Amino acid sequence: MLTVITFLPLLVCAVLLGLRALPDRVYRWTWVGAAAADLALVVAVWAGFDTGGGTQYQERARWIPGAGVGYHVGVDGLSLPLVALTCVLFLAVAVYALRETRRVRAYVCLFLFLQTVCVGLFVALDLILFFVFFDLAIAGMFFVIAGWGNGAAARAAALKFFLCTFTGSLALLLGFIGLYLAASPHTFDIVELTRTAPLAGRGAYAALVLLAVGVGLAVKTPTVPFHTWLPPAHSEAPATGSAVLAGVLLKMGTYGFLRIAMPMLPGSWRHYALVFIVVGAVSVVYGALVALAQTDFKRMIAYTSVNHMGYVILAVGAAGVLAGTDTQARSLAVTGAVTQMVSHGLLTGALFLLSGVLHDRGGTYAIGAYSGLAGPSPRFAALTAVAAFGSLGIPGLSGFTAEFQIFTGSLASQATATGIALTGILLTAALFLRALRQMFLGPERLPASTGAGGFGDLAAAESSAIVPLLFLALVIGVLPRFLLDVVEPASRTVVGLVAR
Amino acid sequence: MNQNLAALLPEIALVAAAVIGLVAGAWLPRRRQRAVGVLAAVACVTGLVCTAVTMATGRQQTVFSGTFAVDAATGMGRLTVLGALLLVLMMSVETVRRHKRETEYYVLLLLSAAGTLAMIGANDLLMAFAGYLLASIPAYALAGFAKDAASTEAALKYYLVGALLGAVMLAGTAVLYGAGHATGYAGLRTALPGASYGLVAVGFVAVLAGLLFKIGGVPAHFWVPDVTDGVPAPVAGYVTTLPKAGGLIAAYRLLHQALSGTDVNWPLLLAVLAAASMTLGNLAAFFQTSVKRLLAYSTVSQAGYLLMALAVATRSGLAQRGLLFYLAAYALTNLGVFAVVTELPHARALQDYRGLGRRRPGLAAVLVICLLGLVGTPPTGVFLGKLEVFSAAVDGGRTWLAVLAVVNTVASLFYYLRWLGPVFRTDPDDGLAADAQAVLGRWAAAAAYTAGAGSLALGIAGGALLPLTTGALLLR
């Protein structure tokens, strides 16, 4: 089942590559169909998921037994929400891209490939399988940014993105090799490594492995000081690329912490938890402050991603501190981290798609170039406002659910860091409100680069891509149980593994 | 004494095809000389079948007083070399078709490959040196095949460096013989630990000099860029791939079998050489604008990664597996790139590849797979090879070398992307590039597709090949 979900988009991609000279419309609708089918399969998996049953839908096959590598996939409460998020976001992107006209065949194939890679990463239960998808995601995103961004700046941004994240992935690989060599018999199997935690009690060696894995994942997340690739990549990528990059690819780093670093290196994680807490808190405040200083709408959203991922890092760090806390608080923090990943994927995905609309109409992302947009485009203004409020953590939307859990779970043991991180909410509120006021209220003013049609409101394809994302964020904000029931048992498992 | 000639069938097939081809070439009319190429391919396939049978039936043995070992390393080496030779033959079809010396070209390739095979199985210093000569001398002639200025200069440089380092290697053989009173690795293994430290060290370094020339590793790499740049593309693919396989496996055998008990700190020396090769190769490749020079330096850096396995030859059980698998994957991937270069003979500079992705998507796909493969991006064969070699280095206590290799891998990405960038650029003013992208013919393209697909298949289905790399080396 999971194999089908993973490779269905790739199969469609291969078929489309084989069929030449179809009208663009066919490619676009095939993509929407494939993404919808994939999402339907994920819904089926979710429906059949036993919340208390641990890792399910496992599939194993011999792949490269000589090197300790196997094909092993499965989902549990940590990965299932992210798989679902990936499929939702790719469907939204597919619908949004119904308006795309540039080299449609290559574009559709590239995104189908990316979807396989992203889903595959979240279901992988083998380190090398995980790494293969991790690296292929980088390669795929490189071509999206370089191929559909704007000119030379996009190529430079793509190169920087590739070099930075590739460096991180290789550090990750070194860490994986360290884990592999420590296990006996040598293996890359995640379940096996989690069960045995082969580096327990191996002080310096385990610390070095955690350093390699931690740096690799931190680059991908990204946290301060490894975030420098993010703003140019986002500002040069097309809207759909940004949505996937922020919505899905950033989660690969934070997911790696929960899936690999914490359960496999519990002793070192506890020992160095403070490092992650500090990095998380700094990322929160720094990301928010730099976002506050942006004049470019898209870059601003990009920096709020650093801020939002900072909350996640804070939570996973706090989950590693045993003193002055109890299991419930720690597992609440982990649950919050997973919820935040899902919430951020939905809201930032929507925000990036909206910023794509902004650029499409006005030709620029500069906040100062716009004023009074609520007049000509009320739907656009309303959706942007909802997404922005969700992103700054207003109760009733998913961001609040996530951040509330993170702060409650972390406060007991990490009062100072949590206090510092709380100011991040205030800053994001300020920057979002300021941007909303500037762009949507006041007298109507449009940049000189606006197209002949003026600033039109959202088209049908755009609304039907963005509205479901925000609707899901609303559902998670109001009725989060369906999600939390899945996540909470898995969080307790992770917390139990860290406390070993 | 085991004199089982059947154990040497792959080598004999190549030499026999060379002799028959030479005689037949003298009689065949010019337009029929392609038959010699077919004969060469048949010899390769015969060798591959014989090797497969040997490996499947477990007929590992040493022959002729233990001077030649037929074991796991020889088996994998033969598969790599013969497979690579087949690819080179495919790449060459259009380049040498109707050429005045078409027959001679194929015969030289066969002889040189036979020498490489002799090095791979050599369990004796003199055997290794004989293999060195047989592998080198035809290659010098191949380098000068085009007979133009660049090619002549390349051949001269290749010959001078090869002759010098070959002489050094022979002197080293003599010194080690003096120290250990034997040239066979079995004898050296028992005698060298008790011999004078200085003699062993000097002899070893001198022998290694010759092998490094074949490997194309620092500091014996000076010939690589000039030869690669000066000779026809299929020959360039040949000289950067097959001799490496011969030199590396011969050096691995020497280190693992003959020198394992000595006090000479060869693991450190090899580690330093590996570090220097990958770093200098990468740095030199950074700002090359000629594709062949860029590739030449890239092969120097690849030699560095391969040398990592040698540095931990006796310290990690993973070294042999890493070396043999990486070699096979490297040969496929490197030849894939050279096949694309052969197919586009007028595209000499990186800029000539502008817009290739739109004009020739198939070739561009091969280029992406093979260049990203050389970087070590999954799921290509080289990724798996790198994984094994890095694991071996960490396992053998050389974590710093693995870290340096990772840093180098990132750096190498820069110049491989400098090449890939223009391929997918769609500038309106690239009419010039279109002329440069005239293709050569079907065979070279077929070689490119085969190598690209093989490189990918080796990454995805490498599990089938890995068990073949792990058998014990035979000594006597």
Side-chain angles (χ1 to χ4, degrees), chain B residues 10 46-56 74-76 78-79 82:
Chain B
T46 312
L48 283 172
V49 171
C50 294
T51 309
V53 169
T54 308
M55 294 176 87
T74 309
M76 268 303 282
R78 279 172 172 171
L79 289 185
L82 293 171

Side-chain angles (χ1 to χ4, degrees), chain A residues 268-458:
Chain A
S268 318
W269 185 269
R270 290 197 304 271
H271 196 256
Y272 296 100
L274 191 61
V275 175
F276 294 96
I277 291 166
V278 170
V279 167
V282 170
S283 293
V284 166
V285 178
Y286 180 84
L289 282 174
V290 179
L292 190 62
Q294 299 303 315
T295 54
D296 177 316
F297 189 60
K298 211 173 178 193
R299 280 180 87 90
M300 186 188 87
I301 303 170
Y303 275 108
T304 61
S305 293
V306 177
N307 159 277
H308 282 91
M309 291 295 105
Y311 296 131
V312 178
I313 302 297
L314 172 70
V316 295
V321 181
L322 300 191
T325 169
D326 58 15
T327 319
Q328 205 188 347
R330 292 200 301 275
S331 80
L332 191 60
V334 172
T335 308
V338 177
T339 316
Q340 173 74 326
M341 288 186 219
V342 176
S343 153
H344 179 257
L346 296 171
L347 293 170
T348 312
L351 278 171
F352 275 122
L353 293 182
L354 287 164
S355 76
V357 174
L358 187 72
H359 192 269
D360 185 48
R361 310 284 194 276
T364 172
Y365 294 117
I367 296 171
Y370 300 92
S371 176
L373 291 185
S377 55
R379 286 196 300 267
F380 175 65
L383 291 185
T384 310
V386 171
F389 276 109
S391 192
L392 63 84
I394 205 92
L397 287 164
S398 57
F400 175 75
T401 317
E403 282 158 28
F404 177 74
Q405 295 183 84
I406 289 175
F407 288 132
T408 316
S410 317
L411 191 65
S413 59
Q414 301 301 324
T416 320
T418 311
I420 294 172
L422 269 169
T423 59
I425 294 200
L426 201 63
L427 290 171
T428 39
L431 66 93
F432 271 119
L433 291 177
R434 205 186 49 165
L436 289 179
R437 193 205 60 201
Q438 166 70 38
M439 284 164 52
F440 294 112
L441 307 179
E444 185 180 329
R445 181 161 54 80
L446 293 175
S449 48
T450 308
F455 202 97
D457 206 350
L458 291 183

Side-chain angles (χ1 to χ4, degrees), chain A residues 158-174:
Chain A
L159 185 66
K160 184 170 183 183
F161 161 77
F162 199 119
L163 284 175
C164 289
T165 48
F166 193 75
T167 314
S169 82
L170 286 171
L172 195 63
L173 184 63
L174 273 187

Side-chain angles (χ1 to χ4, degrees), chain B residues 192-217:
Chain B
L192 284 185
S196 148
Y197 180 90
L199 277 185
V200 177
V202 168
F204 160 66
V205 170
V207 170
L208 187 66
L211 296 176
L212 271 179
F213 162 73
K214 296 259 83 173
I215 297 168

Side-chain angles (χ1 to χ4, degrees), chain B residues 331-425:
Chain B
L332 266 176
T333 314
N334 195 46
L335 285 176
V337 187
F338 272 105
V340 174
V341 173
T342 309
E343 177 71 1
L344 302 168
H346 303 294
R348 293 167 193 280
L350 295 180
Q351 283 309 311
D352 294 338
Y353 281 78
R354 266 177 305 169
L356 186 73
R358 198 157 37 84
R359 247 174 250 118
R360 312 228 175 260
L363 287 181
V366 173
L367 210 53
V368 169
I369 291 172
C370 290
L371 287 182
L372 287 182
L374 286 177
V375 177
T377 311
T380 58
V382 174
F383 164 68
L384 210 53
K386 270 196 174 168
L387 180 67
E388 291 294 324
V389 169
F390 288 3
S391 298
V394 175
D395 191 37
R398 295 267 183 243
T399 309
W400 65 267
L401 195 58
V403 172
L404 186 71
V406 162
V407 173
N408 265 298
T409 301
V410 174
S412 73
L413 196 59
F414 175 74
Y415 59 83
Y416 291 123
L417 285 183
R418 275 187 66 222
W419 188 350
L420 281 182
V423 171
F424 292 99
R425 202 161 298 169

